[in-house]
C-alpha cells in the first residue's frame, strides 16, 4: 500500500511539475498566434495582390410580395470580382455622418461616369450586416433594383462584411472602441480591383487603432474619378 501511495504521489508530482510549463507554453503559443493574426488583419494589402477569397452572406431579392422580399444567398469573392473591373470603397459604418453625407452619395452620383470609364460596377463595403446595409441604402434614397436575384440597388451595391472577414483579409481592420464604441470596423479606403487583383489602392492617412479623427482625403469619389480618367 505504501509502495502504491508513493508511486501515485510521484505521478502527481511529475504532472504538477509539467503542468505550469505546459500552460505557459500554450499561452505563449496562443499569444503569438493572436499577434500574428492581428498583424495580418491590420497590415494593408499591396497593389497587385489578389483580394481575400471569402463567402459573403448577402440578401438577394426573390419573387414575393412580402414586406421583406429577400432571401439569403452566399456569394464568393470570385462571384463579385472575377472577370470584372470593380471600384470598391469601404467605410467605418452605415448611418454614420461622413459616410452618409459625403462618401456614399459621392460614388452614387458618379456611378454612371465611372462605368463609362471602364468600370463594371461599384461596391460599398462596411462591417455591418445585410439588414443594416439595406435600410441605410433606402434611407440614402438609393434607387432599388427590384429584379429577382438583385443585391438591392441599381447603382452602388452595398456589401455587408458583418464578420469583418474581407476587411481583415485586406489588412484594413481597426477598432474605434474607446472613442466611439464601434468595436471592429474597416478603415476608410477605396480601390480599383481588376479580375480579383488590386489595381490601385487609396488608403486614408494616419491610420491608428482607436483613432479619434476619421480622415476623408483620398478615398472620395473625386479622387477615384481622377484616377480612372488617367488610365
Amino acid at each position: 500500500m505504501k509502495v502504491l501511495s508513493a508511486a501515485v504521489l510521484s505521478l502527481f508530482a511529475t504532472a504538477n511539475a509539467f503542468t505550469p510549463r505546459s500552460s505557459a507554453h500554450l499561452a505563449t503559443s496562443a499569444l503569438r498566434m493572436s499577434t500574428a493574426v492581428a498583424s495580418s488583419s491590420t497590415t494593408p494589402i499591396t497593389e497587385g495582390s489578389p483580394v481575400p477569397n471569402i463567402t459573403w452572406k448577402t440578401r438577394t431579392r426573390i419573387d414575393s410580395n412580402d414586406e421583406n422580399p429577400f432571401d439569403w444567398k452566399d456569394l464568393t469573392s470570385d462571384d463579385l470580382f472575377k472577370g470584372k473591373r470593380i471600384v470598391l470603397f469601404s467605410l467605418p459604418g452605415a448611418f454614420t455622418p461622413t459616410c452618409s453625407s459625403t462618401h456614399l452619395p459621392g460614388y452614387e452620383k458618379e456611378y454612371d461616369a465611372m462605368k463609362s470609364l471602364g468600370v463594371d460596377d461599384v461596391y460599398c463595403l462596411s462591417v455591418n450586416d445585410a439588414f443594416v446595409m439595406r435600410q441605410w441604402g433606402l434611407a440614402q434614397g438609393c434607387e432599388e433594383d427590384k429584379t429577382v436575384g438583385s443585391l438591392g440597388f441599381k447603382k452602388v451595391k452595398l456589401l455587408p462584411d458583418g464578420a469583418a472577414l474581407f476587411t481583415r483579409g485586406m489588412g484594413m481592420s481597426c477598432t474605434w472602441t474607446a472613442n466611439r464604441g464601434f468595436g471592429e470596423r474597416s478603415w476608410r479606403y477605396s480601390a480599383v480591383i481588376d479580375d480579383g487583383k488590386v489595381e490601385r489602392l487609396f488608403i486614408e492617412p494616419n491610420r491608428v487603432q482607436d483613432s479619434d479623427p476619421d480622415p476623408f482625403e483620398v478615398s472620395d469619389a473625386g479622387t477615384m474619378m481622377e484616377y480612372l480618367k488617367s488610365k
Side-chain angles (χ1 to χ4, degrees):
M1 189 70 163
K2 289 181 180 179
V3 173
L4 178 61
S5 298
V8 171
L9 289 173
S10 177
L11 180 61
F12 274 109
T14 302
N16 287 334
F18 280 96
T19 298
R21 185 179 300 173
S22 299
S23 298
H25 176 72
L26 289 173
T28 301
S29 297
L31 179 60
R32 286 173 179 168
M33 183 177 295
S34 175
T35 302
V37 171
S39 176
S40 66
S41 68
T42 57
T43 302
I45 196 170
T46 56
E47 292 176 356
S49 300
V51 297
N53 187 17
I54 72 161
T55 298
W56 302 79
K57 300 295 182 180
T58 69
R59 300 279 290 172
T60 186
R61 187 172 282 272
I62 59 175
D63 186 10
S64 171
N65 294 321
D66 293 345
E67 291 183 6
N68 186 19
F70 293 86
D71 202 356
W72 291 105
K73 182 176 182 179
D74 286 356
L75 295 175
T76 66
S77 292
D78 277 352
D79 293 328
L80 294 172
F81 300 108
K82 189 174 180 59
K84 305 172 186 175
R85 189 168 184 241
I86 299 295
V87 166
L88 169 76
F89 64 102
S90 187
L91 38 80
F95 292 102
T96 56
T98 302
C99 305
S100 299
S101 66
T102 312
H103 210 170
L104 174 57
Y107 279 89
E108 184 77 2
K109 180 181 178 182
E110 298 291 357
Y111 180 84
D112 292 328
M114 289 182 183
K115 292 199 70 175
S116 74
L117 294 170
V119 169
D120 292 295
D121 217 336
V122 180
Y123 301 156
C124 170
L125 179 147
S126 182
V127 181
N128 291 110
D129 62 65
F131 297 98
V132 169
M133 294 298 275
R134 169 168 163 72
Q135 290 303 316
W136 184 42
L138 293 175
Q140 286 286 294
C142 297
E143 185 179 359
E144 285 193 275
D145 182 354
K146 297 185 178 181
T147 307
V148 172
S150 81
L151 292 178
F153 298 100
K154 288 189 174 182
K155 293 187 176 182
V156 175
K157 311 306 183 293
L158 306 183
L159 293 182
D161 187 25
L165 298 181
F166 191 85
T167 295
R168 293 172 191 167
M170 290 289 284
M172 297 295 179
S173 174
C174 63
T175 58
W176 270 294
T177 303
N179 286 302
R180 305 179 188 186
F182 281 2
E184 185 177 19
R185 295 295 176 99
S186 172
W187 189 251
R188 201 183 293 276
Y189 70 93
S190 65
V192 178
I193 300 170
D194 188 9
D195 194 23
K197 292 185 178 181
V198 179
E199 173 188 321
R200 188 71 170 91
L201 188 60
F202 299 96
I203 306 173
E204 293 297 341
N206 305 319
R207 178 174 171 226
V208 295
Q209 297 300 312
D210 269 325
S211 174
D212 187 18
D214 173 20
F216 182 51
E217 301 173 14
V218 298
S219 63
D220 60 293
T223 300
M224 180 58 71
M225 283 294 294
E226 289 178 9
Y227 171 74
L228 294 174
K229 289 176 180 177
S230 72
K231 301 305 289 180

